[in-house]
Amino acid sequence: MKIDFEQVTVPVPTPETAHFWSGCVAGELRLQQCDDCSRVYFPPRPFCPDCGQRAVSILCGSGKARLLSYVINHRPHPAFDGPYAIAVVELEEGVTMMANILNVPQTPEALILDMPLKVAFRPIRQGIVLPYFEPDGADL
Amino acid sequence: MSAAKVAIVGAAETTALGRIPQMSQIQLHADAALNALADAGLTLKDIDGVATAGESPTAVAHYLGIAPNWVDGTAVGGCSFMLHVRHAVAAIESGLCQCVLITHGESGRSNVGRAGWASSPGSLSGQFESPFGGMGPTTLFTLPVLRFLKDTGTTLEQLASVAVIQRQWAALNPRATLKEPTSVEAVLEDRMIAYPFTKSQCCLVTDGGGALILVAAERAKDFPQSPVYILGSGESTETPMISQMQDLTRSRAFQMAGARAFETAGIQHSDVDHLMIYDAFAHLPLYGLEDLGFCGRGEAGAFIASGQTAPGGILPLNTNGGGLSYMHSGMYGMYALQESVRQVRGTAAAKVAGVEISVCHGVGGMFGASGTVVMSASKVR
C-alpha cells in the first residue's frame, strides 16, 4: 500500500490538541494522564474524562500497540493506491486510536487481530506528522 | 403495572419511497406529515408541537405553517426520532403541548435540497480519524465487527445470514426495495465494500420520509386508528468517534437505552412479540440482540442464522426488511418506528399475528447514540 500524503486529510490542531501534534513532529506519542486518579486518556482534552480534574500531565506513550479491529476499504480513495485497512489499535497504555497499518499486505491473511504493532511517524504536509502503525519488528 | 400516558394516533411514510427526485428534502418532511395528519384525521391547525432532525424544527414548522408551543431539534443521527418520541411523551405529560408532530424526510439518493455533512478538520474526529481514510459509515460503522466476531465466536456466515433472513421479510412487503431471495453464499460473494462487509450487508441508499403524531393517552381512542401506546423508552449516547468506543464488541448506548426502556415499560424480554433493531449494516442486529439482552454473549449469530428471527420464528425482527432490504434514507429510525406502529395496529404488510408489544431500537451516528421505544396495543399493562 502506498499513501499519497498530498491527498491525506490534514488535521487542524486546536489549543487542546497542539501538544499531541507537536509531539508527533518530535517523534513522541503524547498522551495525557490525570494527576489525581492516574487515568491515561486520549483524545486530548485539558481535564480528566474520568474524574473531571483539570490537573493533568503529558505522558509519552511507548508506541507499542496491538491490532484491535479493522476494515479493508475497497472503494477508491485519492490518498490510497488500492484496498487499504482502516484500523483501531490499542496502545500499551490502554487507550485506543484509529490508524492505517504500514509495511504489511492489506489483506485479512496478513492483518491478524491482536498482532503487535509499533508507532511509525510520517510527515504529510503543512507541518503535520501523522502517527501510523506497523508490525513490531517490520523492516523500516 | 405501567400505564401509558401518551399514544401514537397518526403514522405514515412518504407517498413514495426509493427514488424521489421530484421532491426536495423539506417537501419529503411535509409529504409524510400530511399523510400522517390524514391518518389521524387531523389538520395542521391541531399540531402544537414539532420535533425533527436533519432539518431544523423551525424550518419544518414554518414550511408547514405551524406555530408551535414546543419544539425538539434533538439530532443525534438516525435514532433521533426515537428520542423525539420519548421527549414528546414527557412534553405532553407535563402539559408543554398537546399534539406533537415528528417528521423525517431525507433525499438520501437524489440529494435534492439536502445539506452535506462532514467533520471539520479541527474537530476531534477530523484530527484523529479522518486522516486515515475513513469514507463514512461503510468504513467506520463497520470497523468494530472483526473484534466482535473474534471475541464472541460469531462467524462470517452468521453475519451474512442477517441479510438473508431480512430479505425473507422484505419478500413479503410490496414497498420493499429488494425482494429477491438471497443466500449466505450470494451475500458473501457479493461485491466487497469494506472487508468483511459486502454490498448485501450494507444498507440501501434511498429517498423517503415518515411522520408520527402523538397525543395524551386518554384522548387516543377518539382517533380513527387503533392507538399505539408508548409504554416506555430509553436513550443514551456514547461517542462521536468509533475509535473511542469503550468496547468495540458492545454498545454502551444500546445497553443503557434498552435497559431503561424495559424498566420504564415494566416488561420482560418474553413479553416482546415484535422487535425492530436499526440495521444500517448487518452486524447491528447482532449487537442489538446481545446488548438489549435478547441473546447471551456470542449467541446472536446462531439465533439469527437458525431462523429464530425469520418469518415463523419466535422473535420476528426487522419485519419490513430493514435498512438492508426495505429502505434506508440515511436516518432510518423513522421507518423502524413506522413498522412497529404497523405491527401493533395489525396493518403491516408482513403481519405478525397478535402483536401486543413491539420494541423499536435505534442507533444514531456510528454507535454514537441510541433510543429505544416500547409500544403497546393496550394502555395499561
Side-chain angles (χ1 to χ4, degrees), chain B residues 76 126 359 378 380:
Chain B
V76 291
V359 170
S378 306
V380 179

Side-chain angles (χ1 to χ4, degrees), chain B residues 87-112:
Chain B
H87 302 169
V89 168
I92 292 169
E93 195 180 344
S94 61
L96 299 183
C97 59
Q98 298 188 333
C99 189
V100 169
L101 170 69
I102 303 173
T103 68
H104 161 70
E106 196 160 17
S107 188
R109 172 156 287 277
S110 304
N111 274 306
V112 185

Side-chain angles (χ1 to χ4, degrees), chain B residues 262 267-275 294 315 357-359:
Chain B
F262 276 76
I267 61 162
Q268 306 296 319
H269 292 85
S270 56
D271 297 325
V272 178
D273 304 306
H274 171 252
L275 177 63
F294 286 97
L315 183 60
I357 301 273
S358 174
V359 170

Side-chain angles (χ1 to χ4, degrees), chain A:
Chain A
M1 173 192 60
K2 281 213 180 71
I3 301 177
D4 178 356
F5 294 119
E6 287 301 312
Q7 298 294 329
V8 169
T9 307
V10 182
V12 174
T14 62
E16 298 80 19
T17 65
H19 68 274
F20 179 87
W21 294 113
S22 56
C24 289
V25 172
E28 292 179 357
L29 194 60
R30 292 180 184 164
L31 309 176
Q32 285 170 304
Q33 182 169 29
C34 177
D35 291 349
D36 201 35
C37 74
S38 301
R39 158 87 176 260
V40 179
Y41 63 89
F42 178 86
R45 70 209 90 165
F47 58 89
C48 172
D50 216 15
C51 68
Q53 173 64 246
R54 287 176 192 260
V56 298
S57 302
I58 287 172
L59 169 88
C60 283
S62 68
K64 298 209 179 286
R66 69 180 176 115
L67 180 57
L68 207 54
S69 198
Y70 65 90
V71 292
I72 303 171
N73 184 27
H74 283 246
R75 291 189 300 157
H77 185 295
F80 299 87
D81 64 350
Y84 62 99
I86 305 166
V88 174
V89 305
E90 184 178 78
L91 304 188
E92 197 171 59
E93 292 79 11
V95 304
T96 57
M97 46 198 301
M98 193 169 282
N100 303 124
I101 312 298
L102 310 180
N103 296 323
V104 63
Q106 305 290 293
T107 63
E109 294 72 27
L111 293 163
I112 307 298
L113 292 197
D114 301 312
M115 67 194 285
L117 303 168
K118 64 180 188 226
V119 71
F121 294 104
R122 294 288 185 274
I124 50 168
R125 61 189 195 281
Q126 296 172 26
I128 291 286
V129 173
L130 282 180
Y132 292 96
F133 283 80
E134 64 187 359
D136 199 357
D139 296 330
L140 292 174

Side-chain angles (χ1 to χ4, degrees), chain B:
Chain B
M1 194 183 75
S2 52
K5 303 291 194 333
V6 169
I8 295 170
V9 296
E13 295 174 351
T14 42
T15 309
L17 288 179
R19 197 181 282 272
I20 318 174
Q22 71 278 18
M23 277 191 203
S24 66
Q25 183 159 294
I26 190 86
Q27 179 56 29
L28 292 168
H29 283 255
D31 182 53
L34 295 172
N35 288 342
L37 286 164
D39 183 64
L42 292 171
T43 71
L44 286 165
K45 300 286 174 246
D46 297 305
I47 302 297
D48 70 343
V50 173
T52 194
E55 296 281 338
S56 77
T58 310
V60 169
H62 176 259
Y63 192 73
L64 288 167
I66 296 167
N69 289 315
W70 173 89
V71 295
D72 180 10
T74 302
V76 291
C79 68
S80 300
F81 316 104
M82 281 78 174
L83 277 67
H84 297 154
V85 168
R86 187 165 198 250
H87 302 169
V89 168
I92 292 169
E93 195 180 344
S94 61
L96 299 183
C97 59
Q98 298 188 333
C99 189
V100 169
L101 170 69
I102 303 173
T103 68
H104 161 70
E106 196 160 17
S107 188
R109 172 156 287 277
S110 304
N111 274 306
V112 185
R114 184 194 194 209
W117 53 282
S119 331
S120 141
S123 69
L124 289 177
S125 53
Q127 291 180 68
F128 299 110
E129 292 195 336
S130 300
F132 305 107
M135 293 174 65
T138 52
T139 49
L140 298 177
F141 210 164
T142 51
L143 211 166
V145 84
L146 287 184
R147 175 53 55 182
F148 178 90
L149 297 180
K150 178 170 182 180
D151 287 6
T152 62
T154 305
T155 65
L156 285 173
E157 288 74 19
Q158 288 170 338
L159 178 64
S161 74
V162 174
V164 176
I165 304 280
Q166 291 193 193
R167 191 65 61 77
Q168 293 175 9
W169 284 111
L172 305 172
N173 187 348
R175 266 166 76 88
T177 302
L178 299 176
K179 303 185 196 67
E180 286 297 306
T182 187
S183 66
V184 167
E185 295 70 30
V187 169
L188 290 173
E189 284 165 15
D190 199 2
R191 182 159 64 89
M192 189 60 74
I193 301 294
Y195 173 84
F197 287 82
T198 59
K199 188 164 181 285
S200 298
Q201 297 171 85
C202 301
C203 67
L204 300 160
V205 181
T206 55
D207 303 326
L212 296 169
I213 295 169
L214 293 87
V215 301
E218 68 256 22
R219 296 170 59 198
K221 284 207 186 307
D222 303 338
F223 294 84
Q225 309 291 344
S226 304
V228 175
Y229 296 96
I230 309 301
L231 212 54
S233 60
E235 66 186 89
S236 189
T237 63
E238 184 176 350
T239 168
M241 301 168 73
I242 200 83
S243 64
Q244 299 307 314
M245 285 178 78
Q246 275 185 357
D247 178 344
L248 292 176
T249 69
R250 297 176 171 94
S251 165
R252 187 188 77 191
F254 279 19
Q255 292 175 337
M256 287 182 62
R260 186 83 173 156
F262 276 76
E263 182 191 330
T264 53
I267 61 162
Q268 306 296 319
H269 292 85
S270 56
D271 297 325
V272 178
D273 304 306
H274 171 252
L275 177 63
M276 297 298 289
I277 298 176
Y278 189 131
D279 59 318
F281 296 92
H283 59 320
L284 292 177
L286 304 180
Y287 280 71
L289 285 169
E290 294 187 10
D291 289 336
L292 296 181
F294 286 97
C295 290
R297 177 76 163 165
E299 293 172 0
F303 188 76
I304 289 179
S306 65
Q308 305 299 323
T309 62
I314 59 167
L315 183 60
L317 169 68
N318 293 346
T319 51
N320 58 356
L324 298 180
S325 289
Y326 179 58
M327 82 85 68
H328 194 296
S329 60
M331 292 192 290
Y332 166 82
M334 176 56 82
Y335 309 96
L337 289 164
Q338 295 286 336
E339 177 67 6
S340 281
V341 169
R342 290 189 293 256
Q343 290 290 0
V344 173
R345 284 179 172 180
T347 59
K351 183 180 166 178
V352 175
V355 174
E356 173 70 21
I357 301 273
S358 174
V359 170
C360 189
H361 179 73
V363 65
M366 297 175 280
F367 289 120
S370 188
T372 312
V373 176
V374 181
M375 300 186 198
S376 169
S378 306
K379 182 176 168 187
V380 179
R381 185 179 162 76

